[in-house]
Amino acid sequence: MGFDYFGERFTAACLATGTSSFADFLAGSAPHLLPGAAAQPGAPAPGQGTGLELPPGTVPQGALPHGTTIVAADFDGGVIMAGDRRSTAGNVIAQRDIEKVFRSDDYSCVGISGVAGIGLELVRLFQLELEHYEKLEGRSLSLEGKANRLSAFVRGNLGAAMQGLVVVPLFAGYDEETQKGRIFSYDAAGGRYEERNFHSIGSGSFFARGALKKLYTDGMPVDDAIAVCMQALYDAADDDSATGGPDLSRRIYPLVAIITADGYRQLTDEEAGRFADAVVAERMRSPGGPTAPLPPTSQQNE
């Protein structure tokens, strides 16, 4: 019958007609591959014995690469998600061009903040979950259903999160029923919350959200939404050392995903670079960035 990637023959679970949930299939056939399965009593401290420690004296013992700021905003016709490209391990930049925003299916995407290794594993499992469901059912899950399934995966990592291996995603997609973009945030226990208009996660999220509050407008065209997200990430990088701004010398720019009725699309480096160059050029003239216009003050009594 062939061999799986463990070098063993396919098990009966692989050949049986089962659930349309890939996570449920793993729970029955290979539960050790589920998020948080390694978080057992007596497990080593985060980073110890995993082969992920950096050389002694480089970073604090046991520090693992973390991803940071992700922003999302809806616009006229869809939703946009953008993430910086820096990961840090303690006080060290672990990687300058990590990807934190991923296509989950044709009409949705997910961004990760937290321990990078576990976050990437969670995203891959989520992608498989949606693909597995679509193959077995002949249709894709509703956007609400996708958000719920991701919630279950985050909750499955709770044991690891209690040991410090926290991963928090941000999920966004185009709802084909309501024909608009929607954004969902999560807590470490799997709680799911729908956000209105925009949201951000990660260590630089407070600064990014402040920029989004000032610059976001209802029904923005897509180019304005991209510019607003770029400005928000720049503000996050300006005040949060774990968030990376546009790296013009290395041509490393924030990763930007756009989802509309036409599906998922990621900006090319050239497209993202044009927006990043414009933001940096503007900040050279005005380091504080654009300001939101104030409404007219009320007239004094004549």
Side-chain angles (χ1 to χ4, degrees):
M1 295 299 296
F3 296 86
D4 63 16
Y5 72 100
F6 293 111
E8 301 173 352
R9 292 191 179 276
F10 287 123
T11 64
C14 297
L15 304 176
T17 302
T19 175
S20 56
S21 168
F22 186 75
D24 290 346
F25 166 75
L26 277 186
S29 60
H32 60 285
L33 296 179
L34 289 170
Q40 302 294 333
Q48 295 182 1
T50 63
L52 295 175
E53 301 94 335
L54 295 180
T58 305
V59 295
Q61 182 67 25
L64 294 174
H66 280 65
T68 49
T69 310
I70 307 291
V71 299
D74 61 28
F75 62 89
D76 183 21
V79 66
I80 180 175
M81 183 179 289
D84 80 302
R85 304 293 296 276
R86 174 178 294 177
S87 69
T88 56
N91 63 311
V92 173
I93 296 176
Q95 189 172 346
R96 300 180 187 275
D97 61 349
I98 188 173
E99 294 188 5
K100 308 175 191 175
V101 178
F102 304 89
R103 172 191 177 277
S104 46
D105 71 355
D106 288 341
Y107 292 96
S108 65
C109 67
V110 59
I112 57 169
S113 175
V115 179
I118 293 181
L120 295 173
E121 177 184 332
L122 186 146
V123 166
R124 286 192 288 266
L125 182 57
F126 182 55
Q127 291 169 329
L128 281 172
E129 174 80 0
L130 299 186
E131 183 179 351
H132 184 77
Y133 180 93
E134 188 170 348
K135 286 180 177 179
L136 290 189
E137 298 295 333
R139 61 182 178 85
S140 62
L141 269 170
S142 66
L143 191 65
E144 194 88 17
K146 297 170 191 175
N148 289 338
R149 291 307 300 156
L150 183 56
S151 177
F153 289 159
V154 178
R155 185 164 55 251
N157 188 57
L158 181 59
M162 295 295 287
Q163 298 184 39
L165 303 177
V166 180
V167 174
V168 179
L170 185 63
F171 179 68
Y174 181 81
D175 192 328
E176 296 179 90
E177 296 180 4
T178 61
Q179 298 184 342
K180 65 177 184 180
R182 299 172 67 186
I183 302 168
F184 298 89
S185 66
Y186 300 83
D187 60 32
R192 192 212 75 175
Y193 314 96
E194 183 166 5
E195 306 293 343
R196 296 188 59 185
N197 303 133
F198 57 82
H199 194 65
S200 63
I201 61 172
S203 60
S205 61
F206 302 105
F207 312 111
R209 202 173 308 168
L212 289 169
K213 284 182 178 179
K214 300 300 182 295
L215 301 177
Y216 175 88
T217 57
D218 289 326
M220 291 186 298
V222 62
D223 284 356
D224 287 356
I226 297 172
V228 165
C229 288
M230 286 280 191
Q231 293 282 3
L233 288 175
Y234 192 102
D235 279 339
D238 200 29
D239 289 296
D240 174 43
S241 61
T243 303
D247 191 335
L248 302 186
S249 61
R250 296 181 177 87
R251 314 305 288 174
I252 300 173
Y253 308 111
L255 196 153
V256 181
I258 302 169
I259 309 170
T260 65
D262 295 327
Y264 173 95
R265 185 175 81 87
Q266 180 179 312
L267 293 191
T268 65
D269 287 341
E270 290 74 17
E271 291 173 317
R274 287 196 293 270
F275 284 95
D277 288 343
V279 169
V280 172
E282 180 183 350
R283 293 298 178 115
M284 294 294 289
R285 297 188 299 269
S286 177
T291 57
L294 293 174
T297 57
S298 58
Q299 297 293 328
Q300 299 292 330
N301 293 332
E302 296 182 357

